[in-house]
Amino acid sequence: MALKARALYSFQSENKEEISIQENEELVIFSENSLDGWLQGQNSRGETGLFPASYVEILRSRSGSNYTDYSSSPAGSPGHDFYTTPPNPSIPYQGSFEDDDDDDWDDWDDACTVVEEPRNAPGTNGLPSPSLQYPAAYDHHQHAGYRPKPALERQDSMSSSKRGSVVGRNLNRFSCFVRSGVEAFILGDVPLMSKIAEAYCIEMGSKGPQWKPNPHPFICSVEDPTKQTKFKGIKSYISYKLTPSSINSPVYRRYKHFDWLYNRLLHKFTVISVPHLPEKQATGRFEEDFIEKRKRRLILWMEHMTSHPVLSQYEGFQHFLCCRDEKQWKLGKRRAEKDEMVGASFLLTIQIPTEHQDLQDVEDRVDAFKAFSKKMDDSVLQLTNVASELVRKHVGGFRKEFQKLGNAFQAISQSFQMDPPYSLDALNNAISHTGKTYETVGEMFAEQPKNDLFLMLDTLSLYQGLLSNFPDIIHLQKGAFAKVKESQRMSDEGRMDQEEADGIRKRCRVVGFALQAEMNHFHERRVADFKRMMQSYLKQQIIFYQRVSQQLEKTLRMYDNL
């Protein structure tokens, strides 16, 4: 129920989720339940968004008090109208996954476990990442009847019982730096586990930090998409035969199982660019072209998964590839869903080299990669558009034009037969055959994208997904850099112990090493993938034009003995 309110103080928005309000301005509040010290409402100009709860009073017609005092309400009391509080990363994720026997969602379903966000939506790797509780944007210690103006500081807003001074927290809880929990990790607020069973190592290579290779590398084939049914034919789905080289024994998985795994990967690996799954389709899921397209893209997805030194070793991924027993499958799923080392806690599993790296050098390298990834993203999109248009012309325009040309040659041949005494059958047949040849060439053009352009588009689609993950991952590193600089400044000013500032710097190094290792892996895969893509495209083009040439040469010889 909407409520009327009045602004006690002016507030200037600094993020797109917020709106500005002016002192004494009348407002509409959508719910009087504040979320982490913020309310959602509408100002007198019709703008909708967030503003500090402690900056407004709710007007009540039948009450002894004409406003609700938010200054004494606890931070993190969520409202239930528009947003939900992100979970604490130290608490195991309890996803709403039903048993296979009970769930009835197929390859396309509203109950999909993957949270898909727009390309530029906030979030790391496209997921709603966990975070610690956010600091309140107001003072909790106000006396009854007295309402001083709250101190809403953007950079240094929180005091803590653990420290005399503390690096300011980002009040924009929609920032992926906050939502992912990386801010909490940098500030030392992610609790250390008594026992960490997994570890991912980073070592120094010739081009800088790199993930330590998987000691047991393997590949996995994706084959034989087969339509199957359940519930006596009421539900249909496609299963894929997966055969890991590590066990050389096949398992069968549906797209929903890939979907479940993808969701776990996003939830766990905060600073890794997880390859996107092939897109879903609401209709035509069982059409041959769509099934073949999804199979090709799942093959590329699997190649990237098995080649990644960290993702390939993830217990949930190994369970996905190797488990064949139904009971064990369910137990493994539950174990993965209760994994505590996710989000910010995953950073605790990373072991970094002892080599010193100047943070400014790391920042410069990250900036260079940021510019590179933006340029590559633009160029991949450009090539995707050109290749897609070329596919359309192959299937439509080129085919149609060659058919027109063939029909025109056929018409010439038919006209030559209209005056028999002067008709030369050998010439007429040669011209008629020429027409048929160009019709054949038109069909060859229509079929050719399956041999070359489709693989190009599949590869480009995969890289569009990988590249779209990096802005948020880079943002995490940028946020960490900012905290280091702020902590060092506070240490220089005597407002923070040097030991605490060193701790922040040390934890920033973990994020920095992880990002650099991910950058190096991306470049390594990029070189291999684009080399293969270009070689395959050019080889298939050569074969195609050789076949066209052979058709034309065969037709040309029909004119030799006229």
Side-chain angles (χ1 to χ4, degrees):
M1 179 178 177
L3 300 170
K4 290 186 177 182
R6 179 174 65 87
L8 296 172
Y9 317 107
S10 297
F11 170 74
Q12 185 65 37
S13 66
E14 295 188 12
N15 296 289
K16 62 181 180 180
E17 297 87 2
E18 303 167 357
I19 58 172
S20 298
I21 58 176
Q22 302 297 324
E23 186 174 353
N24 294 320
E25 181 179 5
E26 288 193 1
L27 309 169
V28 175
I29 306 296
F30 297 145
S31 172
E32 61 181 305
N33 295 319
S34 68
L35 177 61
D36 301 330
W38 297 82
L39 289 174
Q40 172 115 2
Q42 186 178 74
N43 60 22
S44 60
R45 297 174 295 284
E47 300 169 340
T48 300
L50 301 169
F51 42 82
S54 54
Y55 276 47
V56 303
E57 63 179 7
I58 293 180
L59 305 176
R60 302 182 186 278
S61 56
R62 293 187 297 271
S63 174
S65 173
N66 70 332
Y67 68 85
T68 299
D69 186 354
Y70 285 100
S71 61
S72 59
S73 61
S77 302
H80 302 284
D81 294 274
F82 291 89
Y83 302 97
T84 57
T85 305
N88 189 313
S90 64
I91 300 175
Y93 175 75
Q94 302 294 335
S96 58
F97 298 96
E98 299 177 347
D99 290 344
D100 284 348
D101 290 340
D102 299 328
D103 64 15
D104 194 29
W105 61 277
D106 211 319
D107 292 356
W108 175 272
D109 192 277
D110 291 338
C112 165
T113 60
V114 173
V115 179
E116 298 191 15
E117 298 190 9
R119 181 180 181 84
N120 294 323
T124 301
N125 268 350
L127 78 155
S129 305
S131 165
L132 294 177
Q133 296 292 337
Y134 302 99
Y138 47 87
D139 186 0
H140 298 296
H141 308 289
Q142 297 178 8
H143 301 288
Y146 173 66
R147 189 179 181 86
K149 181 174 180 178
L152 187 66
E153 300 286 343
R154 291 282 170 180
Q155 298 298 325
D156 195 1
S157 63
M158 181 183 177
S159 62
S160 169
S161 59
K162 295 193 298 181
R163 311 175 183 85
S165 296
V166 69
V167 174
R169 295 173 181 266
N170 189 340
L171 293 181
N172 178 13
R173 68 185 186 281
F174 300 101
S175 163
C176 67
F177 182 55
V178 176
R179 296 171 65 210
S180 66
V182 173
E183 180 188 53
F185 171 78
I186 293 296
L187 297 180
D189 290 338
V190 174
L192 292 173
M193 304 295 178
S194 59
K195 182 179 180 181
I196 300 178
E198 55 187 315
Y200 301 98
C201 299
I202 297 174
E203 55 189 17
M204 294 301 293
S206 60
K207 297 182 179 178
Q210 62 185 28
W211 296 111
K212 185 177 180 179
N214 185 345
H216 306 289
F218 67 98
I219 59 175
C220 181
S221 63
V222 181
E223 302 171 303
D224 300 336
T226 305
K227 185 176 181 180
Q228 298 184 0
T229 60
K230 61 187 296 187
F231 305 130
K232 297 182 179 181
I234 296 176
K235 294 293 293 183
S236 299
Y237 60 90
I238 301 295
S239 71
Y240 299 86
K241 177 183 176 183
L242 311 182
T243 309
S245 62
S246 55
I247 60 173
N248 200 29
S249 180
V251 295
Y252 296 86
R253 297 288 183 255
R254 294 167 55 180
Y255 182 84
K256 74 165 192 175
H257 298 137
F258 283 92
D259 202 31
W260 169 84
L261 173 63
Y262 180 64
N263 187 54
R264 303 316 313 155
L265 294 168
L266 292 184
H267 191 64
K268 182 176 180 68
F269 296 106
T270 312
V271 292
I272 291 178
S273 180
V274 179
H276 291 194
L277 277 176
E279 66 276 7
K280 297 182 180 180
Q281 184 166 302
T283 59
R285 292 186 290 112
F286 302 113
E287 293 179 0
E288 184 177 348
D289 288 346
F290 176 73
I291 293 173
E292 182 61 28
K293 176 182 177 182
R294 174 174 279 181
K295 174 191 161 185
R296 293 195 316 267
R297 298 195 172 187
L298 283 176
I299 289 173
L300 289 179
W301 185 86
M302 186 62 71
E303 288 178 355
H304 267 255
M305 286 294 300
T306 57
S307 72
H308 197 287
V310 175
L311 301 181
S312 62
Q313 296 186 71
Y314 171 46
E315 181 183 1
F317 182 48
Q318 291 295 326
H319 178 71
F320 171 82
L321 293 178
C322 301
C323 184
R324 304 178 68 185
D325 180 78
E326 181 179 357
K327 183 178 180 181
Q328 291 300 317
W329 166 255
K330 293 179 180 178
L331 291 175
K333 281 184 61 181
R334 300 301 177 265
R335 186 166 57 250
E337 289 158 14
K338 294 178 181 179
D339 185 4
E340 295 185 351
M341 307 310 295
V342 299
S345 295
F346 163 69
L347 296 171
L348 299 174
T349 69
I350 298 177
Q351 298 177 0
I352 63 174
T354 57
E355 284 87 344
H356 172 74
Q357 276 195 315
D358 184 77
L359 285 186
Q360 186 58 53
D361 292 341
V362 176
E363 188 168 11
D364 292 343
R365 187 178 179 196
V366 170
D367 287 339
F369 183 82
K370 180 179 180 181
F372 155 79
S373 60
K374 176 62 170 66
K375 179 62 177 177
M376 182 179 175
D377 195 23
D378 293 341
S379 62
V380 164
L381 179 59
Q382 179 185 5
L383 182 54
T384 298
N385 292 336
V386 171
S388 299
E389 178 64 15
L390 194 54
V391 169
R392 190 187 66 80
K393 289 180 179 179
H394 268 266
V395 176
F398 293 160
R399 182 187 203 176
K400 187 175 181 180
E401 294 304 317
F402 281 117
Q403 286 177 340
K404 286 182 179 179
L405 183 59
N407 290 335
F409 283 133
Q410 295 270 17
I412 288 290
S413 174
Q414 293 169 4
S415 70
F416 284 179
Q417 299 174 21
M418 297 299 293
D419 195 355
Y422 298 97
S423 177
L424 184 61
D425 289 342
L427 177 61
N428 295 344
N429 290 338
I431 295 176
S432 177
H433 185 77
T434 302
K436 293 177 182 178
T437 296
Y438 275 97
E439 290 179 355
T440 301
V441 170
E443 293 299 324
M444 291 169 62
F445 267 90
E447 293 295 319
Q448 183 57 22
K450 295 180 180 178
N451 301 322
D452 51 26
L453 286 170
F454 282 3
L455 176 60
M456 177 181 290
L457 287 170
D458 293 340
T459 303
L460 294 174
S461 176
L462 179 75
Y463 272 85
Q464 280 183 299
L466 290 170
L467 288 164
S468 70
N469 295 332
F470 276 108
D472 279 342
I473 298 175
I474 291 172
H475 180 69
L476 300 180
Q477 179 65 77
K478 288 291 187 180
F481 284 143
K483 296 302 179 187
V484 170
K485 293 174 182 177
E486 185 178 356
S487 65
Q488 190 57 53
R489 187 186 70 249
M490 294 178 66
S491 175
D492 293 342
E493 295 172 354
R495 297 192 292 132
M496 174 182 285
D497 293 338
Q498 185 59 47
E499 181 181 355
E500 186 176 341
D502 290 341
I504 291 176
R505 178 181 291 270
K506 180 179 179 180
R507 290 184 288 272
C508 179
R509 290 182 72 239
V510 173
V511 180
F513 270 102
L515 175 54
Q516 291 176 83
E518 192 62 16
M519 288 157 46
N520 275 335
H521 178 74
F522 177 84
H523 281 304
E524 180 182 337
R525 288 298 310 179
R526 173 185 60 83
V527 171
D529 287 338
F530 276 80
K531 174 185 176 181
R532 178 177 62 178
M533 182 189 81
M534 295 306 299
Q535 284 181 326
S536 175
Y537 179 73
L538 292 172
K539 287 177 181 178
Q540 290 297 328
Q541 284 278 289
I542 291 170
I543 293 172
F544 171 67
Y545 284 108
Q546 284 176 341
R547 291 174 55 216
V548 171
S549 177
Q550 290 169 1
Q551 291 283 338
L552 297 177
E553 288 176 357
K554 181 179 178 181
T555 303
L556 176 61
R557 286 195 292 269
M558 296 183 68
Y559 294 88
D560 291 346
N561 299 322
L562 293 179

